[in-house]
Amino acid sequence: MSPPAAPRQIGTIEAVQGPVVDIVCDHPPPLHRALFAQPNGERCVLEVFRELGERHVRAIALHRTAGLARGLAVMDGGGPLEIPVGPQCLGRLLDVFGAPLDGEAPFESTGRRPLVAPPGPLAEARAAESVLETGIKVIDLLCPFVRGGKTGLFGGAGVGKTVLITEFMNAVIQLHAGVSVFAGIGERIREGHELWHDMREAGVMPRTVMVFGQMDESPGVRFRVGLTGLAYAEYLRDTVGKDVLLLIDNVFRFVQAGSEISGLLGRMPATVGYQPTLLSEVAELEERISSSTAGNITSVQAVYVPADDMTDPAVSAIFSHLDTMVVLSRNQAAKGIYPAVDPLRSSSKMMDRHFLGERHYRVAEAVREHLARYHELEDIIAMLGIESLSESDRRVVARARRLQRYLTQPFHVVAQHTGIPGASVPLAQTLDDCEAFLRGDYDDVAEADCYMRGSMQDPKT
Protein backbone atom coordinates (compact mmCIF):
# COMPACT_ATOMS: atom_id res chain seq x y z
CA MET A 1 0.00 0.00 0.00
CA SER A 2 1.45 3.34 -1.05
CA PRO A 3 1.96 5.96 1.68
CA PRO A 4 -0.47 8.92 1.72
CA ALA A 5 0.59 11.91 -0.33
CA ALA A 6 2.18 14.78 1.56
CA PRO A 7 -0.19 17.73 2.05
CA ARG A 8 0.08 20.42 -0.61
CA GLN A 9 0.55 24.09 0.22
CA ILE A 10 -2.33 26.10 -1.19
CA GLY A 11 -1.43 29.62 -0.03
CA THR A 12 -0.34 31.79 2.86
CA ILE A 13 -2.13 33.70 5.61
CA GLU A 14 -2.63 37.39 4.86
CA ALA A 15 -4.65 38.51 7.90
CA VAL A 16 -6.08 37.09 11.13
CA GLN A 17 -8.98 38.78 12.93
CA GLY A 18 -10.32 36.63 15.74
CA PRO A 19 -11.51 33.35 14.16
CA VAL A 20 -11.46 34.91 10.64
CA VAL A 21 -8.45 34.10 8.49
CA ASP A 22 -7.82 35.71 5.11
CA ILE A 23 -5.70 33.56 2.77
CA VAL A 24 -3.92 34.57 -0.43
CA CYS A 25 -3.49 31.77 -2.97
CA ASP A 26 -2.82 31.34 -6.69
CA HIS A 27 -5.69 28.89 -7.18
CA PRO A 28 -8.54 29.60 -4.70
CA PRO A 29 -10.08 26.45 -3.19
CA PRO A 30 -13.85 25.85 -3.44
CA LEU A 31 -16.23 26.84 -0.65
CA HIS A 32 -16.36 24.52 2.38
CA ARG A 33 -12.91 23.14 1.59
CA ALA A 34 -10.97 22.06 4.68
CA LEU A 35 -7.55 23.71 5.01
CA PHE A 36 -5.07 23.67 7.86
CA ALA A 37 -2.08 25.54 9.21
CA GLN A 38 0.44 24.30 11.76
CA PRO A 39 1.74 27.09 13.98
CA ASN A 40 4.22 25.73 16.55
CA GLY A 41 3.43 22.20 15.33
CA GLU A 42 -0.24 22.40 16.40
CA ARG A 43 -2.81 21.75 13.70
CA CYS A 44 -5.42 24.51 13.18
CA VAL A 45 -8.27 23.50 10.85
CA LEU A 46 -9.85 26.18 8.64
CA GLU A 47 -13.00 26.03 6.51
CA VAL A 48 -13.42 28.25 3.45
CA PHE A 49 -16.60 30.33 3.67
CA ARG A 50 -16.16 33.21 1.22
CA GLU A 51 -14.26 34.19 -1.94
CA LEU A 52 -12.87 37.75 -1.76
CA GLY A 53 -11.37 37.93 -5.23
CA GLU A 54 -9.36 36.01 -7.77
CA ARG A 55 -6.56 35.23 -5.30
CA HIS A 56 -8.15 35.69 -1.86
CA VAL A 57 -10.49 33.56 0.25
CA ARG A 58 -11.82 34.05 3.77
CA ALA A 59 -11.94 31.07 6.13
CA ILE A 60 -13.18 30.46 9.66
CA ALA A 61 -10.83 28.74 12.11
CA LEU A 62 -12.24 25.73 13.97
CA HIS A 63 -9.45 25.83 16.53
CA ARG A 64 -7.94 28.63 18.56
CA THR A 65 -5.95 31.00 16.35
CA ALA A 66 -3.11 31.61 18.83
CA GLY A 67 0.15 31.33 16.89
CA LEU A 68 -1.27 32.10 13.44
CA ALA A 69 0.68 34.88 11.75
CA ARG A 70 0.97 36.59 8.37
CA GLY A 71 2.96 34.57 5.86
CA LEU A 72 2.31 31.22 7.55
CA ALA A 73 1.81 28.41 5.03
CA VAL A 74 -1.76 27.05 4.59
CA MET A 75 -2.10 23.44 3.46
CA ASP A 76 -4.89 21.79 1.48
CA GLY A 77 -6.97 19.30 3.48
CA GLY A 78 -7.87 17.42 0.30
CA GLY A 79 -11.66 17.83 0.54
CA PRO A 80 -14.47 19.03 2.80
CA LEU A 81 -14.51 18.50 6.56
CA GLU A 82 -14.86 14.79 7.35
CA ILE A 83 -15.33 12.65 10.45
CA PRO A 84 -14.36 9.02 11.17
CA VAL A 85 -17.26 6.56 11.44
CA GLY A 86 -17.54 2.98 12.63
CA PRO A 87 -19.65 0.72 14.85
CA GLN A 88 -17.43 1.53 17.84
CA CYS A 89 -18.60 5.16 17.82
CA LEU A 90 -21.52 4.00 20.01
CA GLY A 91 -20.90 4.75 23.66
CA ARG A 92 -18.46 7.55 22.92
CA LEU A 93 -18.31 11.27 23.71
CA LEU A 94 -16.82 13.10 20.70
CA ASP A 95 -16.02 16.59 19.42
CA VAL A 96 -16.89 18.19 16.07
CA PHE A 97 -14.04 16.26 14.35
CA GLY A 98 -14.98 12.87 15.84
CA ALA A 99 -12.06 12.99 18.29
CA PRO A 100 -12.71 11.64 21.81
CA LEU A 101 -13.68 13.95 24.68
CA ASP A 102 -14.12 11.13 27.21
CA GLY A 103 -10.43 10.59 27.89
CA GLU A 104 -10.28 7.28 26.01
CA ALA A 105 -8.39 6.32 22.87
CA PRO A 106 -9.93 7.16 19.46
CA PHE A 107 -12.34 4.49 18.25
CA GLU A 108 -11.43 2.25 15.34
CA SER A 109 -12.98 3.77 12.22
CA THR A 110 -14.13 1.90 9.14
CA GLY A 111 -14.55 4.94 6.90
CA ARG A 112 -15.16 8.67 6.79
CA ARG A 113 -18.19 10.83 6.05
CA PRO A 114 -18.29 14.51 4.99
CA LEU A 115 -20.06 17.02 7.24
CA VAL A 116 -21.49 19.10 4.39
CA ALA A 117 -23.51 16.86 2.07
CA PRO A 118 -26.74 17.08 0.09
CA PRO A 119 -29.90 15.45 1.42
CA GLY A 120 -30.67 11.91 0.27
CA PRO A 121 -32.42 11.28 -3.05
CA LEU A 122 -36.11 12.17 -2.98
CA ALA A 123 -37.00 8.79 -4.48
CA GLU A 124 -35.50 7.03 -1.42
CA ALA A 125 -37.21 9.25 1.16
CA ARG A 126 -39.90 7.63 3.28
CA ALA A 127 -42.96 9.35 4.71
CA ALA A 128 -43.98 9.31 8.36
CA GLU A 129 -45.46 5.94 9.28
CA SER A 130 -46.77 5.91 12.83
CA VAL A 131 -46.78 7.52 16.25
CA LEU A 132 -43.60 7.04 18.27
CA GLU A 133 -44.76 6.39 21.82
CA THR A 134 -42.68 8.07 24.50
CA GLY A 135 -44.55 7.10 27.68
CA ILE A 136 -44.99 10.84 28.39
CA LYS A 137 -48.74 11.32 28.74
CA VAL A 138 -49.24 14.91 27.57
CA ILE A 139 -47.04 14.44 24.49
CA ASP A 140 -48.43 11.05 23.40
CA LEU A 141 -51.99 12.36 23.77
CA LEU A 142 -51.97 15.95 22.46
CA CYS A 143 -48.85 16.41 20.32
CA PRO A 144 -47.61 12.92 19.40
CA PHE A 145 -44.11 12.40 18.09
CA VAL A 146 -43.91 10.89 14.63
CA ARG A 147 -41.62 7.97 13.82
CA GLY A 148 -39.24 9.36 11.23
CA GLY A 149 -40.45 12.94 11.80
CA LYS A 150 -39.04 16.13 13.29
CA THR A 151 -40.20 17.55 16.62
CA GLY A 152 -39.30 20.88 18.19
CA LEU A 153 -39.37 21.66 21.92
CA PHE A 154 -39.88 25.43 22.08
CA GLY A 155 -39.39 27.43 25.24
CA GLY A 156 -37.51 30.22 26.98
CA ALA A 157 -34.75 29.74 29.51
CA GLY A 158 -35.39 27.43 32.45
CA VAL A 159 -38.70 25.82 31.45
CA GLY A 160 -37.38 22.26 31.08
CA LYS A 161 -36.28 21.72 27.46
CA THR A 162 -33.13 19.79 28.33
CA VAL A 163 -34.87 17.66 30.98
CA LEU A 164 -37.63 16.73 28.51
CA ILE A 165 -35.20 15.92 25.70
CA THR A 166 -33.14 13.74 28.08
CA GLU A 167 -36.24 11.89 29.26
CA PHE A 168 -37.22 11.26 25.65
CA MET A 169 -33.76 9.86 24.92
CA ASN A 170 -34.13 7.51 27.86
CA ALA A 171 -37.64 6.48 26.76
CA VAL A 172 -36.72 5.65 23.17
CA ILE A 173 -33.70 3.56 24.16
CA GLN A 174 -35.67 1.67 26.85
CA LEU A 175 -38.98 1.26 24.95
CA HIS A 176 -37.84 0.87 21.36
CA ALA A 177 -34.27 -0.50 21.65
CA GLY A 178 -33.03 2.05 19.13
CA VAL A 179 -29.81 4.05 19.07
CA SER A 180 -29.44 7.74 19.86
CA VAL A 181 -27.20 10.55 18.71
CA PHE A 182 -27.04 13.64 20.92
CA ALA A 183 -25.62 16.84 19.41
CA GLY A 184 -24.90 19.53 22.00
CA ILE A 185 -24.57 22.88 20.21
CA GLY A 186 -23.03 25.57 22.38
CA GLU A 187 -23.53 23.51 25.52
CA ARG A 188 -22.19 24.70 28.85
CA ILE A 189 -19.50 22.34 30.12
CA ARG A 190 -21.50 21.79 33.32
CA GLU A 191 -24.59 20.68 31.36
CA GLY A 192 -22.60 18.39 29.10
CA HIS A 193 -20.71 16.81 32.00
CA GLU A 194 -23.93 16.18 33.98
CA LEU A 195 -25.73 14.75 30.93
CA TRP A 196 -22.84 12.39 30.12
CA HIS A 197 -22.79 11.03 33.68
CA ASP A 198 -26.62 10.76 33.76
CA MET A 199 -26.58 8.71 30.55
CA ARG A 200 -23.89 6.40 31.94
CA GLU A 201 -25.77 5.89 35.21
CA ALA A 202 -29.01 5.19 33.34
CA GLY A 203 -27.23 2.46 31.35
CA VAL A 204 -28.12 3.92 27.94
CA MET A 205 -24.68 5.22 26.96
CA PRO A 206 -23.64 1.99 25.11
CA ARG A 207 -26.37 2.75 22.53
CA THR A 208 -25.67 6.48 22.32
CA VAL A 209 -23.21 8.76 20.52
CA MET A 210 -22.72 12.17 22.13
CA VAL A 211 -21.19 15.03 20.15
CA PHE A 212 -20.40 18.37 21.78
CA GLY A 213 -19.37 21.79 20.50
CA GLN A 214 -18.99 23.78 23.69
CA MET A 215 -20.00 27.37 24.32
CA ASP A 216 -16.40 28.63 24.57
CA GLU A 217 -15.36 27.24 21.19
CA SER A 218 -15.11 28.96 17.82
CA PRO A 219 -18.41 29.87 16.10
CA GLY A 220 -17.26 27.57 13.29
CA VAL A 221 -17.34 24.61 15.71
CA ARG A 222 -20.79 25.54 17.04
CA PHE A 223 -22.00 25.97 13.46
CA ARG A 224 -20.77 22.55 12.34
CA VAL A 225 -21.30 20.31 15.38
CA GLY A 226 -24.98 19.79 14.46
CA LEU A 227 -23.84 18.42 11.09
CA THR A 228 -21.38 16.13 12.91
CA GLY A 229 -24.26 14.64 14.91
CA LEU A 230 -26.32 14.35 11.73
CA ALA A 231 -23.48 12.57 9.89
CA TYR A 232 -23.29 9.96 12.70
CA ALA A 233 -27.09 9.56 12.60
CA GLU A 234 -26.96 8.98 8.83
CA TYR A 235 -24.17 6.44 9.26
CA LEU A 236 -26.13 4.53 11.93
CA ARG A 237 -29.29 4.66 9.82
CA ASP A 238 -27.53 3.30 6.75
CA THR A 239 -25.50 0.58 8.53
CA VAL A 240 -27.41 -0.43 11.67
CA GLY A 241 -30.85 -0.21 10.05
CA LYS A 242 -32.64 0.49 13.34
CA ASP A 243 -34.54 3.53 14.50
CA VAL A 244 -32.08 6.36 15.12
CA LEU A 245 -33.06 9.16 17.47
CA LEU A 246 -31.25 12.44 16.75
CA LEU A 247 -31.44 14.93 19.60
CA ILE A 248 -30.18 18.47 19.13
CA ASP A 249 -29.80 20.89 22.01
CA ASN A 250 -30.02 23.71 21.03
CA VAL A 251 -30.89 24.62 17.42
CA PHE A 252 -31.12 28.32 18.29
CA ARG A 253 -27.41 28.29 19.18
CA PHE A 254 -26.76 26.89 15.69
CA VAL A 255 -28.54 29.96 14.30
CA GLN A 256 -26.55 32.22 16.64
CA ALA A 257 -23.27 30.69 15.46
CA GLY A 258 -24.34 31.28 11.85
CA SER A 259 -25.12 34.89 12.73
CA GLU A 260 -21.65 35.33 14.26
CA ILE A 261 -20.00 33.83 11.18
CA SER A 262 -22.10 36.04 8.89
CA GLY A 263 -20.96 39.16 10.74
CA LEU A 264 -17.33 38.02 10.72
CA LEU A 265 -17.52 37.45 6.96
CA GLY A 266 -18.72 41.04 6.50
CA ARG A 267 -22.30 40.34 5.42
CA MET A 268 -24.96 42.97 6.08
CA PRO A 269 -27.44 41.75 8.75
CA ALA A 270 -31.08 41.24 7.76
CA THR A 271 -34.31 40.99 9.79
CA VAL A 272 -33.86 41.67 13.53
CA GLY A 273 -30.08 41.44 13.05
CA TYR A 274 -30.06 37.84 11.82
CA GLN A 275 -27.90 36.72 8.93
CA PRO A 276 -29.36 37.11 5.41
CA THR A 277 -28.70 33.38 4.84
CA LEU A 278 -30.85 32.31 7.85
CA LEU A 279 -33.44 30.30 5.89
CA SER A 280 -30.91 28.45 3.73
CA GLU A 281 -28.67 27.59 6.71
CA VAL A 282 -31.57 26.15 8.70
CA ALA A 283 -32.71 24.22 5.61
CA GLU A 284 -29.17 22.84 5.10
CA LEU A 285 -29.46 21.16 8.50
CA GLU A 286 -33.15 20.25 8.58
CA GLU A 287 -33.57 18.84 5.06
CA ARG A 288 -30.94 16.17 5.70
CA ILE A 289 -32.91 14.82 8.68
CA SER A 290 -34.99 12.25 6.84
CA SER A 291 -35.90 8.59 6.76
CA SER A 292 -34.97 6.30 3.90
CA THR A 293 -35.50 2.70 2.89
CA ALA A 294 -32.49 1.84 5.11
CA GLY A 295 -34.09 3.13 8.33
CA ASN A 296 -35.65 6.01 10.23
CA ILE A 297 -34.12 9.13 11.73
CA THR A 298 -36.47 10.67 14.27
CA SER A 299 -35.33 14.09 15.39
CA VAL A 300 -36.15 15.97 18.58
CA GLN A 301 -34.77 19.49 18.74
CA ALA A 302 -34.73 21.91 21.64
CA VAL A 303 -35.30 25.47 20.42
CA TYR A 304 -34.64 28.44 22.70
CA VAL A 305 -37.28 31.15 22.18
CA PRO A 306 -35.78 34.62 22.74
CA ALA A 307 -37.89 36.62 25.22
CA ASP A 308 -40.61 33.94 24.81
CA ASP A 309 -41.42 35.51 21.40
CA MET A 310 -42.70 32.78 19.08
CA THR A 311 -42.68 35.25 16.14
CA ASP A 312 -38.88 35.58 16.23
CA PRO A 313 -37.48 35.02 12.68
CA ALA A 314 -35.16 32.20 13.83
CA VAL A 315 -38.01 30.38 15.58
CA SER A 316 -40.26 30.79 12.52
CA ALA A 317 -37.52 29.46 10.20
CA ILE A 318 -37.08 26.33 12.33
CA PHE A 319 -40.81 25.78 12.87
CA SER A 320 -41.53 25.56 9.14
CA HIS A 321 -39.51 22.30 8.93
CA LEU A 322 -41.13 20.47 11.85
CA ASP A 323 -43.93 17.90 12.08
CA THR A 324 -44.68 18.46 15.76
CA MET A 325 -44.31 21.59 17.89
CA VAL A 326 -44.21 21.22 21.69
CA VAL A 327 -44.40 24.62 23.38
CA LEU A 328 -43.13 24.80 26.94
CA SER A 329 -44.84 27.60 28.86
CA ARG A 330 -43.47 29.66 31.73
CA ASN A 331 -47.03 30.01 33.07
CA GLN A 332 -47.37 26.23 33.28
CA ALA A 333 -44.04 25.97 35.08
CA ALA A 334 -45.10 28.70 37.52
CA LYS A 335 -48.17 26.61 38.43
CA GLY A 336 -45.97 23.57 39.11
CA ILE A 337 -47.22 21.78 35.97
CA TYR A 338 -44.28 19.63 34.76
CA PRO A 339 -43.58 18.89 32.00
CA ALA A 340 -44.57 22.51 31.36
CA VAL A 341 -46.24 21.74 28.00
CA ASP A 342 -48.84 24.28 26.91
CA PRO A 343 -51.57 21.97 25.54
CA LEU A 344 -53.35 24.75 23.62
CA ARG A 345 -50.29 26.09 21.77
CA SER A 346 -48.62 22.75 21.09
CA SER A 347 -49.64 20.98 17.89
CA SER A 348 -48.79 18.24 15.46
CA LYS A 349 -49.36 18.03 11.73
CA MET A 350 -50.32 14.40 12.34
CA MET A 351 -53.33 15.25 14.55
CA ASP A 352 -55.62 13.56 12.08
CA ARG A 353 -58.17 10.81 12.71
CA HIS A 354 -56.89 8.82 9.72
CA PHE A 355 -53.33 8.83 11.12
CA LEU A 356 -54.05 8.54 14.85
CA GLY A 357 -57.21 6.47 14.72
CA GLU A 358 -60.73 7.54 15.65
CA ARG A 359 -60.42 6.94 19.39
CA HIS A 360 -57.14 8.79 19.95
CA TYR A 361 -58.32 11.75 17.87
CA ARG A 362 -61.67 11.96 19.67
CA VAL A 363 -60.17 11.79 23.18
CA ALA A 364 -57.43 14.32 22.37
CA GLU A 365 -59.96 16.80 20.97
CA ALA A 366 -62.25 16.39 23.99
CA VAL A 367 -59.36 16.97 26.42
CA ARG A 368 -58.24 20.02 24.47
CA GLU A 369 -61.82 21.40 24.47
CA HIS A 370 -62.06 21.04 28.27
CA LEU A 371 -58.72 22.74 28.81
CA ALA A 372 -59.59 25.53 26.36
CA ARG A 373 -62.92 26.19 28.09
CA TYR A 374 -61.17 26.31 31.47
CA HIS A 375 -58.66 28.80 30.05
CA GLU A 376 -61.52 31.01 28.81
CA LEU A 377 -63.20 31.00 32.23
CA GLU A 378 -60.09 31.59 34.36
CA ASP A 379 -60.51 35.39 34.44
CA ILE A 380 -64.18 35.12 35.38
CA ILE A 381 -63.33 32.66 38.16
CA ALA A 382 -60.59 34.97 39.46
CA MET A 383 -62.91 37.99 39.59
CA LEU A 384 -66.33 36.55 40.50
CA GLY A 385 -65.59 33.11 41.86
CA ILE A 386 -66.49 29.68 40.51
CA GLU A 387 -70.00 30.01 41.99
CA SER A 388 -70.85 32.52 39.25
CA LEU A 389 -70.56 29.82 36.58
CA SER A 390 -73.35 27.61 35.34
CA GLU A 391 -73.56 24.01 36.56
CA SER A 392 -72.22 22.65 33.24
CA ASP A 393 -69.29 25.07 33.23
CA ARG A 394 -68.41 24.21 36.83
CA ARG A 395 -68.35 20.54 35.86
CA VAL A 396 -66.09 21.27 32.84
CA VAL A 397 -63.73 23.35 35.00
CA ALA A 398 -63.49 20.66 37.68
CA ARG A 399 -62.68 17.97 35.11
CA ALA A 400 -60.23 20.23 33.26
CA ARG A 401 -58.35 20.96 36.51
CA ARG A 402 -58.05 17.23 37.21
CA LEU A 403 -56.94 16.56 33.62
CA GLN A 404 -54.35 19.36 33.87
CA ARG A 405 -52.87 17.75 36.96
CA TYR A 406 -53.14 14.24 35.53
CA LEU A 407 -51.02 15.33 32.54
CA THR A 408 -48.10 16.08 34.88
CA GLN A 409 -45.61 13.27 35.26
CA PRO A 410 -42.49 12.37 37.28
CA PHE A 411 -39.46 11.72 35.06
CA HIS A 412 -36.86 8.99 35.41
CA VAL A 413 -33.92 11.32 34.68
CA VAL A 414 -34.70 13.65 37.61
CA ALA A 415 -35.89 11.01 40.10
CA GLN A 416 -32.75 11.40 42.22
CA HIS A 417 -33.42 15.14 42.54
CA THR A 418 -37.19 15.02 43.15
CA GLY A 419 -37.36 11.85 45.21
CA ILE A 420 -40.34 10.69 43.10
CA PRO A 421 -39.81 7.52 41.03
CA GLY A 422 -40.16 8.11 37.28
CA ALA A 423 -43.27 6.86 35.51
CA SER A 424 -43.87 5.75 31.92
CA VAL A 425 -47.48 5.37 30.76
CA PRO A 426 -48.51 3.48 27.58
CA LEU A 427 -50.71 5.47 25.20
CA ALA A 428 -53.60 3.00 25.55
CA GLN A 429 -53.61 3.52 29.33
CA THR A 430 -53.51 7.31 28.90
CA LEU A 431 -56.57 7.13 26.62
CA ASP A 432 -58.41 4.93 29.15
CA ASP A 433 -57.69 7.38 31.98
CA CYS A 434 -58.68 10.45 29.96
CA GLU A 435 -61.96 8.83 28.88
CA ALA A 436 -62.68 8.09 32.55
CA PHE A 437 -62.00 11.75 33.47
CA LEU A 438 -64.28 12.96 30.68
CA ARG A 439 -67.08 10.60 31.75
CA GLY A 440 -66.84 11.86 35.33
CA ASP A 441 -65.54 8.64 36.88
CA TYR A 442 -62.95 10.62 38.87
CA ASP A 443 -65.12 13.61 39.82
CA ASP A 444 -64.85 12.61 43.47
CA VAL A 445 -61.06 12.20 43.41
CA ALA A 446 -59.10 15.06 45.00
CA GLU A 447 -57.09 17.16 42.54
CA ALA A 448 -53.92 16.53 44.54
CA ASP A 449 -54.33 12.78 43.95
CA CYS A 450 -54.17 13.36 40.19
CA TYR A 451 -50.88 15.28 40.40
CA MET A 452 -47.44 13.83 39.58
CA ARG A 453 -48.34 10.22 39.07
CA GLY A 454 -48.34 7.75 36.21
CA SER A 455 -51.58 5.98 35.38
CA MET A 456 -54.60 6.46 37.62
CA GLN A 457 -54.41 2.70 38.26
CA ASP A 458 -50.91 3.09 39.73
CA PRO A 459 -50.68 3.79 43.48
CA LYS A 460 -49.98 7.44 44.36
CA THR A 461 -46.41 7.78 45.64
Side-chain angles (χ1 to χ4, degrees), residues 84-90 92 94 98 100 105-111 232 235:
V85 293
Q88 295 181 7
C89 67
L90 288 169
R92 300 304 302 270
L94 308 172
F107 66 89
E108 184 178 343
S109 65
T110 57
Y232 278 115
Y235 165 75

Side-chain angles (χ1 to χ4, degrees), residues 83-84 86-103 107 162 165-167 169-170 173 179-185 187-214 217 225-233 236 244-249 413:
I83 55 167
Q88 295 181 7
C89 67
L90 288 169
R92 300 304 302 270
L93 179 67
L94 308 172
D95 67 7
V96 67
F97 304 106
L101 290 173
D102 49 16
F107 66 89
T162 301
I165 208 170
T166 310
E167 179 72 10
M169 179 193 293
N170 182 70
I173 291 175
V179 294
S180 292
V181 178
F182 181 93
I185 304 176
E187 284 286 289
R188 302 171 184 87
I189 185 64
R190 170 186 58 80
E191 293 176 337
H193 188 261
E194 290 176 357
L195 181 61
W196 179 44
H197 281 284
D198 288 344
M199 292 296 101
R200 293 173 71 183
E201 290 171 6
V204 298
M205 196 62 204
R207 302 188 66 80
T208 304
V209 183
M210 301 185 77
V211 182
F212 279 99
Q214 296 169 38
E217 296 191 78
V225 71
L227 295 183
T228 300
L230 180 53
Y232 278 115
L236 292 171
V244 180
L245 176 65
L246 173 63
L247 302 114
I248 305 176
D249 188 9
V413 294

Side-chain angles (χ1 to χ4, degrees), residues 154-159 161 250 252 256 272 274 303-315 327-331 345:
F154 293 82
V159 294
K161 297 186 298 298
N250 183 306
F252 183 78
Q256 279 185 315
V272 200
Y274 286 110
V303 184
Y304 169 71
V305 180
D308 294 333
D309 179 13
M310 293 295 293
T311 63
D312 186 86
V315 175
V327 178
L328 302 179
S329 163
R330 202 170 300 282
N331 289 334
R345 297 171 67 194

Side-chain angles (χ1 to χ4, degrees), residues 262-322:
S262 181
L264 292 168
L265 295 176
R267 297 186 187 130
M268 188 72 71
T271 310
V272 200
Y274 286 110
Q275 61 269 42
T277 52
L278 171 64
L279 296 177
S280 60
E281 287 174 3
V282 171
E284 179 185 352
L285 175 70
E286 298 285 356
E287 290 302 297
R288 279 177 61 188
I289 303 174
S290 62
S291 299
S292 70
T293 51
N296 291 319
I297 295 181
T298 304
S299 173
V300 182
Q301 308 167 19
V303 184
Y304 169 71
V305 180
D308 294 333
D309 179 13
M310 293 295 293
T311 63
D312 186 86
V315 175
S316 300
I318 297 165
F319 171 65
S320 63
H321 292 274
L322 303 176

Side-chain angles (χ1 to χ4, degrees), residues 40-205:
N40 306 320
E42 296 182 5
R43 189 182 181 98
C44 178
V45 177
L46 314 168
E47 183 181 2
V48 178
F49 270 90
R50 189 175 185 185
E51 295 180 356
L52 300 179
E54 292 184 1
R55 299 184 64 245
H56 293 80
V57 295
R58 180 164 287 172
I60 298 292
L62 277 72
H63 290 96
R64 300 189 186 279
T65 54
L68 294 185
R70 295 183 64 181
L72 186 67
V74 177
M75 316 304 287
D76 187 0
L81 291 171
E82 293 182 329
I83 55 167
V85 293
Q88 295 181 7
C89 67
L90 288 169
R92 300 304 302 270
L93 179 67
L94 308 172
D95 67 7
V96 67
F97 304 106
L101 290 173
D102 49 16
E104 300 180 20
F107 66 89
E108 184 178 343
S109 65
T110 57
R112 302 185 69 83
R113 290 185 80 103
L115 294 192
V116 180
L122 194 60
E124 296 181 9
R126 197 162 61 182
E129 298 175 344
S130 60
V131 170
L132 183 68
E133 287 194 35
T134 66
I136 303 171
K137 294 178 288 189
V138 64
I139 287 178
D140 287 347
L141 177 67
L142 298 178
C143 41
F145 289 1
V146 181
R147 189 185 301 273
K150 294 190 276 278
T151 298
L153 307 179
F154 293 82
V159 294
K161 297 186 298 298
T162 301
V163 171
L164 190 55
I165 208 170
T166 310
E167 179 72 10
F168 185 55
M169 179 193 293
N170 182 70
V172 165
I173 291 175
Q174 300 290 357
L175 298 177
H176 302 281
V179 294
S180 292
V181 178
F182 181 93
I185 304 176
E187 284 286 289
R188 302 171 184 87
I189 185 64
R190 170 186 58 80
E191 293 176 337
H193 188 261
E194 290 176 357
L195 181 61
W196 179 44
H197 281 284
D198 288 344
M199 292 296 101
R200 293 173 71 183
E201 290 171 6
V204 298
M205 196 62 204

